[in-house]
Amino acid sequence: QRRKEAAHRRRRIIFNNDGNEVVYLCKTATPEEVLRCRTSPLVGSHVDSIFYCTWSSGFGLFTHNTKVGEVFTCKQGMFADNITRDLIEQGTDPLQIMVDFCRRNDLEIFWSMRMNDTHDAWGGDYSPYLFPKLKREHAEYLVGSKEDRPKHGGWTAVDYAHPQVRELAFRFVEEVCCGYDVDGVELDFFRHPTFFKRAAMGLPLGQEELDMMTGLMRRIREVTEEVAEGRGRPLLVAVRVPDSVEYCRGIGIDLERWLAEDLVDILIATGYFRLNPWEYIVDLGHRYDVPVYACLSESRIPGEAGEVRNSIESYRARAMKVWDSGADGVYMFNFFDPYSPLWRELGDPEILKGLDKVYFVTVRGIGNAGFFLAGGERYFRIPILAPQRPLKLEMNRPQVIELPVGDDVLWGKDRGILPELNLRLQVGDLKDAEDISVELNGELLSGGILSRGWLDYMLKPDLVRKGVNRFKIGVKPGSGVTPVVFDLQLWIRYRESS
């Protein structure tokens, strides 16, 4: 009962900190400096929980004072400012610093463990330093090698089919649960989602692999319950996973079984990609009385299209849709500026509703779904439109695309607050705005202005709905063009009526 109550506490924003400040950013080896970089300015914001990852790469490579794994004390190359060893010699470490900070400020603190981070596989300048001793000594644990790389995922991923790997994963969690006064542990299965050699080779997994992971989850639940009983306070288990039961099964995660067996207290969904409308994963978690948090992370779409997707206005729109879906809160990943206004906006839909936003059909891109799992793109159940996946228009074959919107844009009409709505279509091979037709929710738009590859329409406020908005785009008869729609942006700017 107490665990359920703790699971359902208020978390407007969960801040996932990947722990990089202690290896890259700190100028001096003090707790105050660690907190200054990303944490202290968050006091008084909507951040109710900090999920702290003690370093972000290599299975068993940590910046907390582990005896089971390996402490990352490297000071070579780009890690010259790594203060991990200095903090440990002072009798503390980054995780203890975060625990102490959260206790002082009445914040929830989770330790976050990346279940198979493979930054050591990508060939960056950092990769050689992130390859842990465990992998050097036990190459047989890996899904591939530098010379013989798997079809999917990073070659340095450990294969959870080995009992020794599952045992180590358990012991890493057990050590933190027993040694630190955390409120919970997060098992991050999204960074990176490769867990079995068979899946990495492009082969389907069977019940045997699913049972292996479920067995590990049961052991973790057992130890968290034992520690909780001993200290008289709940110890929660959170997981971050893809937002699809089928995709999860494809990589070895029997998600619905975990929920049914009460192995998960908090469900966090998505990362590099999103496969379903937010309502899908919210309904799944709530069916088992598990709170659900929507992960918002940076766009992986390159260029200017990615920059505007990473804008403040874009994050606001994404968060507004999250709240509209019934999710229990927002989870921020790979977003570290502690002075951003978003920390004081995204956790409250009442604040958000009056702020400018921009909505996109696709924010993150889709390539990684297939990178980590053979045929992963077949699990997409949401519309896709981005410069890398455009809509090709043909005569007599109009294209339909749907855009979910979280705003009720007329919320302030009675108070004289009306939105300015701007639809922007990035269209190639179009010479005249009159050569294509654009309908929104069944109404034909007019007055489009074409400039430098962008077709802009000013929309009537009552034309945009809260929920799904349906666009129908076609080529007009006799125009003789075959345009390509690369992007769609819906800008909402609130202003007071004169």
Side-chain angles (χ1 to χ4, degrees), residues 49-298:
S49 303
I50 294 176
F51 283 33
Y52 192 76
C53 176
T54 49
W55 194 216
S56 57
S57 189
F59 184 75
L61 194 59
F62 303 117
T63 54
H64 67 272
N65 193 14
T66 179
K67 302 298 187 294
V68 179
E70 179 183 354
V71 180
F72 184 75
T73 57
C74 174
K75 278 183 168 287
Q76 295 176 269
M78 64 179 65
F79 303 114
D81 294 329
N82 182 3
I83 63 170
T84 300
R85 185 191 299 276
D86 305 279
L87 294 173
I88 291 175
E89 289 176 352
Q90 294 171 24
T92 188
D93 64 35
L95 181 56
Q96 188 60 54
I97 290 169
M98 290 298 155
V99 170
D100 293 342
F101 172 84
C102 289
R103 292 287 166 261
R104 291 194 303 269
N105 292 282
D106 194 28
L107 296 174
E108 186 180 50
I109 176 69
F110 274 54
W111 175 63
S112 179
M113 174 180 165
R114 296 183 173 183
M115 301 300 285
N116 221 351
D117 191 294
T118 52
H119 275 91
D120 49 1
W122 305 142
D125 293 340
Y126 49 73
S127 293
Y129 303 116
L130 305 184
F131 197 71
K133 180 180 177 182
L134 173 71
K135 294 181 182 180
R136 292 196 302 270
E137 295 180 349
H138 293 281
E140 71 275 14
Y141 291 169
L142 307 184
V143 301
S145 66
K146 197 170 185 178
E147 297 72 31
D148 186 17
R149 296 172 183 256
K151 294 180 179 179
H152 301 278
W155 67 270
T156 60
V158 294
D159 182 3
Y160 275 76
H162 290 278
Q164 300 92 331
V165 170
R166 300 196 301 278
E167 175 65 21
L168 279 171
F170 169 76
R171 290 178 60 203
F172 296 151
V173 175
E174 179 186 45
E175 181 183 42
V176 169
C177 290
C178 295
Y180 295 83
D181 185 28
V182 293
D183 296 301
V185 294
E186 179 194 32
L187 310 177
D188 188 347
F189 289 96
F190 217 122
R191 194 74 159 199
H192 298 101
T194 301
F195 304 104
F196 291 97
K197 187 172 185 176
R198 283 184 56 83
M201 293 170 62
L203 301 174
L205 300 181
Q207 191 61 44
E208 181 181 7
E209 288 88 358
L210 295 173
D211 290 345
M212 290 176 185
M213 279 303 218
T214 299
L216 173 60
M217 289 297 296
R218 289 171 179 158
R219 291 189 67 194
I220 290 173
R221 171 63 90 197
E222 288 172 4
V223 73
T224 58
E225 294 291 74
E226 288 173 6
V227 172
E229 185 175 354
R231 72 183 191 179
R233 187 163 57 87
L235 184 56
L236 305 180
V237 177
V239 297
R240 186 166 77 108
V241 296
D243 65 322
S244 163
V245 169
E246 294 80 14
Y247 193 101
C248 282
R249 287 180 65 87
I251 59 175
I253 295 172
D254 204 345
L255 180 58
E256 193 155 14
R257 184 178 179 187
W258 294 3
L259 294 169
E261 291 190 15
D262 192 29
L263 303 178
V264 174
D265 298 305
I266 297 171
L267 177 58
I268 300 146
T270 80
Y272 297 113
F273 52 85
R274 178 162 64 94
L275 301 167
N276 284 288
W278 286 121
E279 288 79 1
Y280 168 93
I281 199 69
V282 171
D283 292 345
L284 176 66
H286 288 180
R287 194 183 314 154
Y288 294 95
D289 195 27
V290 172
V292 178
Y293 295 83
C295 173
L296 303 184
S297 56
E298 81 283 15

Side-chain angles (χ1 to χ4, degrees), residues 307-329:
E307 291 177 11
V308 71
R309 283 165 167 79
N310 289 327
S311 67
I312 286 178
E313 292 85 356
S314 175
Y315 270 99
R316 289 171 179 162
R318 296 166 69 190
M320 198 65 176
K321 188 66 191 77
V322 165
W323 288 112
D324 186 49
S325 74
D328 295 273

Side-chain angles (χ1 to χ4, degrees), residues 152 242-244 246-247 250-251 272-276 362 364-384 388-389:
H152 301 278
D243 65 322
S244 163
E246 294 80 14
Y247 193 101
I251 59 175
Y272 297 113
F273 52 85
R274 178 162 64 94
L275 301 167
N276 284 288
T362 303
R364 287 172 171 150
I366 63 174
N368 279 309
F371 175 75
F372 288 107
L373 178 65
E377 292 187 11
R378 71 183 184 272
Y379 296 105
F380 276 97
R381 301 291 183 270
I382 56 175
I384 301 295
Q388 295 73 33
R389 188 64 67 87

